[in-house]
Amino acid sequence: MVDGKVIKRAKHKSTIKDPGTPGILEMTEDRFIFTPHNPKSSPSLNVLFRLIKGHRFTKEGTKQALLNLTHEQGGSYIFEFENFSDRNVCKEFVGHQCCELQKLHKQFVLGGVLTEAEFWATRKKLLNGDTSKVTRQRAGFKSALLSDVKPSADGRSNRVTFNLTPEIIHQIFAEKPAVHRAYLKFVPNKMTEKDFWTKYCRAEYLHSTKNAVAAAAEAAEDEELAVFLKHDDVWASEARHKIRRVDPTLDMEADEGDDYIHLPDHGMSRDGSDYATDSQYDEYRRSLSQVLNRHGAVVLEGRSIDVELGDTRSVAEALARSKQVELANGASDGMVNQERLERISQLAEIEDLQASRDLPLAPLFIKDPREYFDSQQANAIKTLGDTLAGTRQIKCSLSTSEAYGSLRERISEVKISGLGDPIVKPVIAFKVFDGLTQNIKSNKYQRGKNPQESVLDGLPKITKEELLLHWTSIEELLKHFWSSYPITTSYLYVKVRRLKDAMSQIYPKLQEIKESVQSDCRHQVSLLVQPMLQALDAAFAHYDADLQKRTAKSGDRPNGFV
Amino acid sequence: MTPVQPKLSTDDVSLLMVLIDTNPFFWSAANTTSLSFSKFLSHVVAFLNSVLLLNQLNQVVVIATGINTCDYVYDSAAAGALPNQRAESLLQKLVEFVVKDEQLGKEDSVDGIGSSLLSGSLSMALCYIQRVFRSGPHHPQPRVSVNGYMHSWTSFPFHRYVAIMNAIFSAQRSMVPIDSCLLGAQHSAFLQQASYITGGVYLKPQQLDGLFQYLSTVFASDLYSRNFLQLPKPVGVDFRASCFCHKNTIDMGYICSVCLSIFCKHHKNCSTCGSVFGQAQTNAPSTSNQKRKTPET
């Protein structure tokens, strides 16, 4: 780091897994330059430090000594060093060059106000970046259809094997509420879990054969099996519920022109079996569109429970709970109906059939119009700071004829003597000009006209920079200060005192700035400084209050008494 | 009727409508103080002359505003106006006007103080301007200059308030700026608003002796020049309302939903229009607070 320059051997990697291009990394005061050994292999890098937003690095003792510099516009530069000491030299160098953090770091860490760990503790995010996201993305349902879970036959015997994973079971519960309900009802009281799923798979098998007649026959014999074979009634009622929420003016029949929709399974035959079976077996058939719609809805809804999928029972119960919550959230049936009716009347309003909306109007009656209209005048006069009295009283002292007489007199006076010469004395004219231009001169009229113009820009450069620096340092200190409360350990106690001392050092500096600027800017500067002082005052007040509480507490307790 | 085409006008040629206040009570009161009517007239006449000298096409019309009547006292475009006898004809007309004003007052037997008929003179000025608008495509840019007014708003009867506001709004619609130069002791919220609304200049000179200087510096500039000038701007027109019950200036308050009267606190019924108000919303949480507090104590 001598002479503000660091040269190290390093590999540049485009990604972490990239083997990297060996070369020389050179860091100077304002930029870093990477020159690969083989100039043909990849272009050399030359990047300014001020474009670097932050940097990350691997912990010492891990496999690779990496340094990752994040570019302002996204993207990053990853360098692998031969050993950690090399990396640390570069890291420190970057740390010193990089952004305004450096200033704060130097001021507080090197100044002893904060320790290294404390300083970086608040910036964990900056260091770790996106590696530790607070919320992990939850995996949703697979978009594959359940029917894709194909039974596998071994070909030799008549056995058909279904493979159910916890994942699939969860999905079955979500998509087929009737199965879910049956599971809660039957398992483990009436049958074992294994029996249940065997039955379910049998039902699925029957469905897959598309033999509605056979399915009906089986269902007639076994009522539990029938649950799986018949149409899902929960599903149906949910669908009815949803239809209610559809815009009541929507005319489904108008869409009948798109005829293929009305063919079963969208006109795509799943297999060759005929659909012209008796209607009595209808409930044992499922259409593809139903399955697709249900599946789509479940996938979109996403996973609403957060339970390990291992235990089927707990999954089933959790799902049931979440369903109940949903139901509770929805209004009761009666309410829904009422709402629906209201919406219909709103949407399908036929004006001719509505009662006329002419409300009985009462004409506006104002008791005393003069007071009504004049009431604001008092305000105007008051704010302008003039008195009403003076002239009016003088007016009263004259009779009408006298007043007119004097007016005529004045006019004839002008007639006789002519216009004054000079009309305006130079001294007075000067005063007038001065008065008129004072408005223009005063910066009150200049400010706020240009939105881009900031008050800070009007200040001397040094003052501006000082203000900004103080602002950031106060922010930093306050952040640490407030995060130390409530004080639970003696370490925090010491830290708070350190911070308080540092802040009280800034206080007089702000005052100095305020006094140093010229009078016309002083007001603005004090406006800028005011919130800083207030923030500091609040911190001091809290510190003192806390200190008092502590001493009072310790005073109450005699020594040796716990 | 020719359609109004204000856009075609040349904006560096002015038609200046000057309204001067000839309220005898005000001027006789002013005699003793700072600026007498004779001084005022000499300033104004000099100002009118300088306006006419600024551009040969400039036109000046003077309307006197009395307490019983208003009238045109001078028109530079009138046939009889001789260029070298402007002041004489103006003063002559003014005397005649004052006599007429006095006579009308006697007939009506109005005693005590009257206020100047600003609504009347403003309307006359605007009518004149409308006639000029319809005279042809190239007419001078009109503006109204109100001089010497000092009445207080409170002395206006209600019907005149509406008339003045209507005049101001019609001036705004026809894009005629109203400049006002206040000589009295107090500001006129009225003219302040008029100038604010119409984009004119409102000025209350501090040095009354230098009136001409004010007039020629601020009010003589034509509309075109005003684009480049920094004329005095209102320090801030306070649009805050005062409540009807205590006349306090308030930032927030209650408003009658029927007549828009303003109150600083909740009333059972409106003092202006008599509407009965419902329970104020703010009462609800306070009662619940009380309920919650009782078990604790």
Side-chain angles (χ1 to χ4, degrees):
Chain A
M1 227 162 71
V2 188
D3 301 335
K5 198 170 177 184
V6 171
I7 303 177
K8 293 287 170 202
R9 216 168 287 158
K11 285 181 184 172
H12 172 243
K13 300 173 149 205
S14 50
T15 62
I16 292 180
K17 281 176 188 157
D18 185 27
T21 328
I24 300 289
L25 178 66
E26 186 181 344
M27 292 183 164
T28 58
E29 242 169 63
D30 61 335
R31 64 182 68 223
F32 68 85
I33 300 160
F34 179 76
T35 333
H37 290 318
N38 180 1
K40 280 176 196 163
S41 62
S42 66
S44 58
L45 296 168
N46 187 345
V47 182
L48 288 172
F49 273 127
R50 66 181 159 81
L51 296 176
I52 297 298
K53 202 169 61 180
H55 63 286
R56 292 186 256 159
F57 47 87
T58 49
K59 275 209 181 107
E60 226 159 301
T62 47
K63 234 194 294 177
Q64 295 167 307
L66 293 178
L67 180 64
N68 185 346
L69 304 174
T70 319
H71 196 266
E72 199 174 40
Q73 287 144 2
S76 57
Y77 305 98
I78 304 170
F79 295 102
E80 185 186 350
F81 293 86
E82 285 175 341
N83 51 48
F84 278 98
S85 60
D86 275 7
R87 202 277 318 272
N88 288 351
V89 170
C90 287
K91 178 196 109 188
E92 256 168 54
F93 191 84
V94 173
H96 281 273
Q97 297 307 324
C98 197
C99 54
E100 62 183 46
L101 262 185
Q102 179 209 347
K103 268 189 194 169
L104 288 175
H105 185 267
K106 208 161 145 191
Q107 192 178 347
F108 296 130
V109 178
L110 301 183
V113 177
L114 295 168
T115 65
E116 184 95 20
E118 280 167 4
F119 185 80
W120 291 110
T122 51
R123 293 190 169 72
K124 258 185 207 144
K125 261 193 202 153
L126 208 68
L127 295 174
N128 299 337
D130 44 18
T131 49
S132 63
K133 278 206 173 138
V134 185
T135 50
R136 197 162 42 86
Q137 189 177 8
R138 215 188 265 168
F141 286 112
K142 279 184 188 150
S143 55
L145 268 180
L146 267 182
S147 55
D148 296 345
V149 182
K150 283 268 158 35
S152 62
D154 58 5
R156 275 176 292 174
S157 62
N158 265 345
R159 264 207 3 228
V160 179
T161 317
F162 281 84
N163 200 0
L164 292 174
T165 62
E167 178 76 22
I168 293 171
I169 287 174
H170 183 199
Q171 201 165 350
I172 288 171
F173 281 159
E175 290 195 20
K176 297 175 179 168
V179 176
H180 177 223
R181 194 180 53 187
Y183 180 89
L184 288 175
K185 201 164 143 193
F186 298 144
V187 181
N189 303 334
K190 211 164 169 187
M191 57 176 89
T192 63
E193 179 154 355
K194 190 161 185 270
D195 284 343
F196 179 82
W197 290 116
T198 315
K199 237 174 210 148
Y200 171 77
C201 294
R202 182 162 175 74
E204 279 303 296
Y205 179 70
L206 279 171
H207 269 303
S208 68
T209 58
K210 289 275 173 290
N211 194 341
V213 185
E218 293 248 2
E221 282 170 25
D222 187 343
E223 64 172 283
E224 280 106 47
L225 190 65
V227 171
F228 301 132
L229 286 172
K230 278 186 183 167
H231 274 232
D232 198 322
D233 58 327
V234 182
W235 179 356
S237 78
E238 260 179 41
R240 272 198 296 278
H241 212 75
K242 271 181 193 157
I243 283 174
R244 286 217 186 121
R245 276 185 270 158
V246 173
D247 184 352
T249 57
L250 184 71
D251 184 3
M252 301 270 266
E253 293 204 355
D255 291 337
E256 242 172 81
D258 305 337
D259 205 20
Y260 67 90
I261 293 178
H262 296 273
L263 296 173
D265 293 357
H266 293 258
M268 302 180 290
S269 49
R270 267 168 118 190
D271 54 30
S273 63
D274 58 330
Y275 291 95
T277 33
D278 286 336
S279 57
Q280 72 174 100
Y281 302 121
D282 246 9
E283 60 174 329
Y284 297 105
R285 253 192 291 121
R286 267 180 222 167
S287 78
L288 174 60
S289 58
Q290 276 176 323
V291 176
L292 271 178
N293 279 340
R294 178 70 195 173
H295 178 70
V298 169
V299 169
L300 283 179
E301 227 167 65
R303 217 177 278 241
S304 52
I305 57 166
D306 212 0
V307 180
E308 277 305 309
L309 290 178
D311 185 17
T312 314
R313 180 85 203 164
S314 65
V315 169
E317 275 164 359
L319 201 62
R321 276 197 299 276
S322 75
K323 276 269 154 68
Q324 267 171 0
V325 172
E326 260 171 56
L327 275 180
N329 284 351
S332 68
D333 231 28
M335 283 284 282
V336 171
N337 253 338
Q338 182 63 29
E339 243 169 61
R340 191 176 137 79
L341 284 174
E342 271 170 25
R343 276 184 60 198
I344 289 177
S345 69
Q346 256 172 33
L347 287 165
E349 190 180 7
I350 301 169
E351 278 168 28
D352 295 354
L353 300 181
Q354 303 290 320
S356 69
R357 294 221 175 140
D358 292 332
L359 297 167
L361 290 176
L364 175 63
F365 165 69
I366 293 175
K367 282 176 191 160
D368 186 356
R370 183 167 155 173
E371 185 175 350
Y372 181 74
F373 287 105
D374 292 352
S375 62
Q376 299 307 311
Q377 169 69 9
N379 176 33
I381 301 276
K382 215 183 318 176
T383 48
L384 292 169
D386 280 303
T387 48
L388 262 173
T391 48
R392 262 225 228 140
Q393 284 169 353
I394 304 166
K395 274 193 259 175
C396 295
S397 64
L398 278 169
S399 75
T400 317
S401 57
E402 272 172 349
Y404 277 108
S406 96
L407 198 62
R408 278 200 304 273
E409 212 174 278
R410 294 292 161 189
I411 296 169
S412 54
E413 205 175 90
V414 182
K415 266 190 194 168
I416 297 157
S417 62
L419 305 183
D421 186 27
I423 299 170
V424 180
K425 284 185 197 129
V427 187
I428 288 164
F430 177 75
K431 273 187 193 165
V432 171
F433 277 130
D434 206 43
L436 284 174
T437 49
Q438 198 179 13
N439 288 348
I440 301 162
K441 275 185 289 185
S442 85
N443 53 14
K444 197 171 166 186
Y445 291 88
Q446 304 299 327
R447 196 154 307 128
K449 273 187 189 152
N450 189 351
Q452 276 93 43
E453 207 179 293
S454 140
V455 178
L456 277 173
D457 294 335
L459 301 175
K461 205 171 172 227
I462 302 165
T463 319
K464 179 187 167 181
E465 275 174 5
E466 260 180 59
L467 277 172
L468 286 176
L469 177 65
H470 282 312
W471 190 226
T472 43
S473 17
I474 288 169
E475 268 186 345
E476 178 69 23
L477 289 171
L478 283 172
K479 191 158 64 180
H480 286 284
F481 178 84
W482 289 111
S483 65
S484 319
Y485 280 96
I487 298 170
T488 44
T489 60
S490 58
Y491 171 74
L492 281 175
Y493 183 70
V494 174
K495 183 186 170 188
V496 163
R497 206 168 50 197
R498 252 188 297 142
L499 289 166
K500 190 219 145 201
D501 290 343
M503 284 193 286
S504 45
Q505 274 169 20
I506 294 181
Y507 210 90
K509 280 188 201 158
L510 290 176
Q511 296 286 358
E512 256 172 52
I513 292 180
K514 226 172 26 170
E515 278 155 25
S516 69
V517 293
Q518 285 180 345
S519 60
D520 54 334
C521 307
R522 193 169 295 165
H523 176 64
Q524 301 154 42
V525 172
S526 70
L527 280 181
L528 284 172
V529 169
Q530 194 61 28
M532 306 189 202
L533 294 180
Q534 277 170 354
L536 288 177
D537 284 337
F540 292 149
H542 187 83
Y543 178 82
D544 290 340
D546 195 71
L547 199 67
Q548 251 174 14
K549 225 191 275 170
R550 283 168 164 280
T551 48
K553 242 189 219 164
S554 58
D556 286 343
R557 241 180 271 154
N559 267 347
F561 185 81
V562 183
Chain B
M1 193 160 68
T2 4
V4 184
Q5 286 175 315
K7 274 175 196 164
L8 279 172
S9 59
T10 43
D11 53 5
D12 58 344
V13 178
S14 311
L15 161 61
L16 184 64
M17 309 291 302
V18 182
L19 316 186
I20 53 173
D21 190 358
T22 61
N23 188 328
F25 301 106
F26 162 53
W27 285 114
S28 48
N31 269 344
T32 50
T33 55
S34 45
L35 189 75
S36 65
F37 191 58
S38 52
K39 283 241 187 77
F40 167 76
L41 276 180
S42 63
H43 283 288
V44 168
V45 168
F47 166 65
L48 296 179
N49 278 329
S50 53
V51 167
L52 289 171
L53 285 171
L54 271 175
N55 192 320
Q56 208 163 8
L57 296 171
N58 276 359
Q59 192 188 340
V60 164
V61 177
V62 181
I63 299 172
T65 315
I67 51 178
N68 297 306
T69 183
C70 311
D71 204 0
Y72 298 100
V73 280
Y74 179 72
D75 184 350
S76 65
L82 296 169
N84 48 358
Q85 286 177 345
R86 280 180 201 131
E88 284 82 349
S89 64
L90 191 150
L91 292 174
Q92 189 53 44
K93 273 281 193 66
L94 201 56
V95 173
E96 287 166 21
F97 170 79
V98 170
V99 173
K100 191 174 135 199
D101 195 34
E102 191 178 0
Q103 281 170 353
L104 284 169
K106 271 174 188 160
E107 279 166 24
D108 287 344
S109 70
V110 176
D111 50 358
I113 321 116
S115 62
S116 310
L117 288 166
L118 178 62
S119 55
S121 55
L122 256 182
S123 306
M124 285 174 85
L126 289 170
C127 286
Y128 192 98
I129 287 168
Q130 285 302 317
R131 202 176 69 197
V132 171
F133 272 148
R134 291 178 171 85
S135 64
H138 296 284
H139 57 76
Q141 188 64 248
R143 64 176 196 272
V144 178
S145 187
V146 183
N147 284 304
Y149 277 85
M150 58 83 46
H151 43 63
S152 64
W153 201 334
T154 35
S155 59
F156 278 113
F158 162 60
H159 65 271
R160 220 182 281 171
Y161 169 93
V162 175
I164 292 179
M165 278 326 275
N166 282 340
I168 290 172
F169 288 131
S170 67
Q172 183 195 17
R173 268 190 71 108
S174 39
M175 317 239 276
V176 177
I178 300 178
D179 299 334
S180 12
C181 182
L182 262 283
L183 302 182
Q186 69 210 45
H187 280 276
S188 159
F190 232 141
L191 288 173
Q192 214 171 19
Q193 279 197 15
S195 297
Y196 185 87
I197 290 170
T198 57
V201 182
Y202 172 88
L203 187 71
K204 188 173 174 303
Q206 301 304 311
Q207 305 282 333
L208 286 179
D209 293 341
L211 179 65
F212 171 73
Q213 199 61 62
Y214 283 107
L215 291 174
S216 56
T217 314
V218 178
F219 297 95
S221 52
D222 56 68
L223 294 190
Y224 183 67
S225 319
R226 285 185 189 193
N227 294 331
F228 315 105
L229 292 174
Q230 286 234 351
L231 295 174
K233 291 192 183 74
V235 182
V237 182
D238 191 2
F239 288 113
R240 276 188 310 167
S242 59
C243 66
F244 282 36
C245 40
H246 305 90
K247 308 277 183 216
N248 291 332
T249 309
I250 49 170
D251 296 316
M252 287 173 93
Y254 296 86
I255 289 189
C256 172
S257 52
V258 177
C259 70
L260 305 181
S261 298
I262 303 155
F263 303 103
C264 63
K265 60 177 188 185
H266 183 251
H267 289 254
K268 282 222 172 81
N269 48 14
C270 177
S271 63
T272 309
C273 68
S275 309
V276 180
F277 299 141
Q279 189 74 10
Q281 287 293 314
T282 46
N283 289 0
S286 70
T287 49
S288 71
N289 276 346
Q290 282 167 356
K291 267 181 202 161
R292 214 178 42 201
K293 268 177 193 167
T294 36
E296 280 171 22
T297 48

